[in-house]
């Protein structure tokens, strides 16, 4: 708990994979979530960015070509984006 900001943090860790999820609870009406994967790179070829676009391009099972526009149609979002960052 961080009393200064009146928030409660809970960290969950998946036993098998070690994946971690942090839940942050507040009384704020805004709803938000973020997903991040640590992807250290050893060069500047842009592979992480290419993979981001490839993953978000859809597949036979999930044929959505532009998931962000689909999400915008049914969302009250104020910011929606995917990004690669070192």
């Amino acid at each position: 708990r961080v009393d200064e900001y009146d928030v409660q943090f809970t960290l969950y860790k998946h036993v098998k994979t070690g994946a971690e999820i942090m839940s942050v609870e507040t009384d704020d009406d805004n709803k938000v979530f973020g997903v991040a994967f640590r992807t250290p790179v050893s060069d500047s070829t842009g592979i992480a960015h290419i993979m981001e676009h490839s993953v978000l391009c859809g597949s036979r099972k999930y044929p959505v070509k532009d998931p962000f526009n689909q999400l915008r149609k049914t969302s009250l979002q104020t910011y929606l984006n995917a990004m690669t960052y070192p």
Side-chain angles (χ1 to χ4, degrees):
R1 177 156 185 83
V2 179
D3 292 326
E4 181 179 348
Y5 296 106
D6 194 28
V7 296
Q8 176 69 41
F9 290 89
T10 307
L11 182 65
Y12 300 93
K13 187 168 186 174
H14 190 271
V15 175
K16 194 170 186 178
T17 65
E20 295 179 338
I21 295 177
M22 179 186 293
S23 170
V24 181
E25 299 176 48
T26 73
D27 289 332
D28 194 321
D29 289 338
N30 290 303
K31 307 296 182 220
V32 65
F33 76 92
V35 178
F37 300 92
R38 186 172 298 180
T39 53
V41 296
S42 57
D43 56 38
S44 61
T45 60
I47 294 297
H49 193 80
I50 293 167
M51 291 302 294
E52 171 195 326
H53 282 269
S54 297
V55 167
L56 296 175
C57 250
S59 66
R60 281 185 221 128
K61 187 174 180 180
Y62 302 100
V64 176
K65 288 291 181 191
D66 192 356
F68 291 103
N69 282 332
Q70 296 299 319
L71 284 170
R72 280 190 179 101
K73 292 176 185 177
T74 60
S75 173
L76 300 173
Q77 95 294 336
T78 56
Y79 179 75
L80 180 63
N81 194 8
M83 63 187 77
T84 51
Y85 187 76

